[in-house]
Amino acid sequence: TFPAATAQAIDAHLLSEGGFVLPQLMELAGLAVAEAALRVARPAAPGCTGALVVCGPGNNGGDGLHVPFAGAAGVRPPFVAVLAALKTLEGRVPLLSVDVPSGWDVARGNTSGLGVEPSALLSLTAPKECARFFAGRHFVGGRFVPDDVQRLFGVDVPAYEGSAQCVEIDPIKPC
């Protein structure tokens, strides 16, 4: 796992020296999220043809414009009511969060107990610190992170099969 500051530094590096522009990174992230969402939702709801997209502000909200499901980080008005509604769906429908589940602290997890407990988590590039407190299905999406960036930031990107944009990984043990 790595802290939010490292994730921000990787994004900044990809945009400044990696040759990417923000819409490209959002689309690549969105593709990974869409694949993870399908892998989580299909077994749980084989006949389902629709999805609810819930996005907060920031780049992950932009990723959500490309995918069937997305999570929003932080709990601020007016999101408190949305978070409460999402919590009523826990265990009833597949919920996929991106990077940090809604209502969780990026480093310490669901410290308030009020955050969403999704069925699955997709960590973009690599798991953030809060993933240590997550017990559900866990995916990583970040196939687009070049080898030199992986080495520079010490990111351990898992092997991707075929054209897959995400990889399911074992749960991360708490420190």
Side-chain angles (χ1 to χ4, degrees), residues 2 10-11 14 20 25 28-33 35 99 122-128 139-147 149-150 155-160 164-167:
F2 59 77
I10 291 170
D11 284 349
L14 290 170
F20 287 97
L25 290 179
L28 289 167
L31 184 59
V33 176
E35 183 178 318
D99 274 334
L122 173 73
S123 296
L124 295 172
T125 307
K128 311 313 175 274
F139 298 86
V140 171
R143 180 179 202 134
F144 55 87
V145 180
D147 291 343
V149 175
Q150 292 176 41
V155 176
D156 184 21
V157 175
Y160 288 82
Q165 298 300 306
C166 68
V167 175

Side-chain angles (χ1 to χ4, degrees), residues 72-112:
V75 183
R76 300 174 300 279
F79 302 112
V80 174
V82 174
L83 181 60
L86 286 173
K87 286 192 67 60
T88 68
L89 299 175
E90 291 175 355
R92 296 179 31 207
V93 299
L95 295 174
L96 172 69
S97 289
V98 178
D99 274 334
V100 180
S102 299
W104 285 38
D105 179 87
V106 69
R108 298 176 313 204
N110 191 6
T111 55
S112 70

